[in-house]
Amino acid sequence: MHPLLAPAQDAASAVPIWFVRKETITGIIAGLPSVTAAFVSASGFETGPGKHLLLPDAGGGLAAVLFGLENGEPRQPDLFLPGKLVTLLPPGTYRFANMPRNTDLAVLAWLTGGYRFTRYKTVPAAPPRLVAPDGVDANALSRQAEAIA
């Protein structure tokens, strides 16, 4: 399995990533703990492609991540936009709390977005890892990402 993927048993402790659009953000915020929802409100977060917000928990840790997708039903949505998350998130284990427009391509984008040419320079800090969602063939996507790299 690809090094940017975490085993399924890590899903319970993984930080949830919520994909949000104008149409869905109100419902997602309503389902968050009150302290976290208050933080979203206070931050002035607005949805938009690639916009993100790290949400703290009551203890100062990372409770969740909001990540913006295109609003509405665009004619040509950027199905690889979730790959941007690998460069935005701190080290840790994450999972998709709700599904992006195309889950397979979102996972492939995560894997290819995490590629770094390190032959002549030091490897940066541990990258964030993703628990592959149910129904995704993680091994096939791992092979595709390795072939691309």
Side-chain angles (χ1 to χ4, degrees):
M1 186 164 9
H2 197 281
L4 293 180
L5 291 177
Q9 61 262 28
D10 290 354
S13 62
V15 176
I17 298 171
W18 290 96
F19 294 102
V20 296
R21 303 186 328 252
K22 278 186 182 178
E23 303 85 16
T24 62
I25 191 161
T26 304
I28 290 170
I29 292 172
L32 296 174
S34 60
V35 172
T36 308
F39 181 84
V40 175
S41 178
S43 73
F45 177 74
E46 294 182 17
T47 63
K51 291 186 178 184
H52 72 289
L53 182 63
L54 304 179
L55 303 176
D57 62 15
L62 187 57
V65 176
L66 297 181
F67 186 76
L69 298 177
E70 298 95 339
N71 296 316
E73 294 297 327
R75 286 179 40 147
Q76 299 217 345
D78 184 353
L79 301 178
F80 285 90
L81 189 60
K84 188 176 182 181
L85 284 162
V86 177
T87 63
L88 299 173
L89 298 175
T93 303
Y94 298 86
R95 65 178 174 81
F96 294 160
N98 60 347
M99 294 305 127
R101 297 181 192 278
N102 184 312
T103 307
D104 284 343
L105 289 181
V107 172
L108 182 61
W110 180 286
L111 299 179
T112 57
Y115 172 78
R116 299 290 174 268
F117 181 77
T118 58
R119 184 173 192 160
Y120 302 110
K121 45 186 179 172
T122 58
V123 177
R129 297 176 68 206
L130 178 69
V131 175
D134 291 338
V136 169
D137 187 345
N139 290 324
L141 291 173
S142 293
R143 288 190 302 272
Q144 289 175 15
E146 289 168 9
I148 292 168

